[in-house]
Amino acid sequence: MRHRVRKGKLGLKTEHRLSVLRNLCTELFRHGRITSTDVKIKELKRFSEKIITTAKTDSVHSRRLVNTKIKDKDILKKLFEEIAPSFSDRPGGYTRIVKLNFRRGDAAPISLIELVGMEVRSEEHVWTPVTYGSRMP
């Protein structure tokens, strides 16, 4: 029985799922905001907020724990020196999810995840939030 077990498997095996989440989390810390499918973003929120909470205590032990998930040394340094100290007074809720349009081709719901309070400029795309009940162009 799977009572009270909440883990989205994303239709992937364990190694592949953890690899996808690690890569998405690294890119989230690098860019400040990313877009992906709704299910992946929801799992990324759980995964990345645990990492930020661990990084709030800057010790050798917490650096080693986070290093098992974030392999990029520059992002690890940025996480411990810029991102985690900016959330020192916040008890949780470090990320924000915004639902966007549906993807063309398979109509998968697309969402945006961003770090709360981080100034991020977006030059690539201008997304519009989802309006339910209307048709896609």
Side-chain angles (χ1 to χ4, degrees):
M1 289 184 283
R2 298 189 69 237
H3 297 301
R4 296 179 57 100
V5 176
R6 193 220 178 279
K7 176 174 42 169
K9 296 191 176 185
L10 305 177
L12 303 171
K13 295 192 177 183
T14 305
E15 295 85 10
H16 190 196
R17 181 178 63 246
L18 290 176
S19 176
V20 166
L21 289 174
R22 286 176 185 150
N23 290 334
L24 284 173
C25 191
T26 301
E27 295 305 312
L28 174 65
F29 294 149
R30 177 175 288 132
H31 299 293
R33 77 169 55 160
I34 58 171
T35 59
S36 186
T37 59
D38 199 22
V39 179
K40 285 181 186 175
I41 292 294
K42 287 179 181 178
E43 284 304 310
L44 177 62
K45 180 179 176 83
R46 295 180 62 235
F47 189 79
S48 63
E49 290 200 2
K50 288 178 185 178
I51 290 175
I52 293 173
T53 303
T54 305
K56 282 169 61 172
T57 59
D58 190 7
S59 64
V60 175
H61 181 63
S62 62
R63 282 184 181 266
R64 287 180 178 166
L65 287 175
V66 173
N67 191 29
T68 61
K69 299 189 174 57
I70 306 294
K71 298 297 183 182
D72 191 349
K73 300 292 183 191
D74 297 330
I75 302 302
L76 193 69
K77 184 177 179 181
K78 180 180 178 182
L79 176 64
F80 276 94
E81 293 179 0
E82 297 173 22
I83 298 172
S86 68
F87 294 125
S88 63
D89 57 339
R90 183 181 280 265
Y94 313 118
T95 57
R96 174 185 305 124
I97 295 178
V98 178
K99 291 184 186 282
L100 302 175
N101 289 332
F102 297 93
R103 185 166 58 197
R104 288 184 75 118
D106 63 351
I110 300 295
S111 294
L112 173 129
I113 186 169
E114 61 185 355
L115 296 171
V116 174
M118 302 296 281
E119 294 297 324
V120 179
R121 296 181 336 171
S122 63
E123 295 109 16
E124 311 95 39
H125 297 310
V126 177
W127 293 94
T128 57
V130 160
T131 55
Y132 293 102
S134 65
R135 302 185 118 202
M136 284 184 54

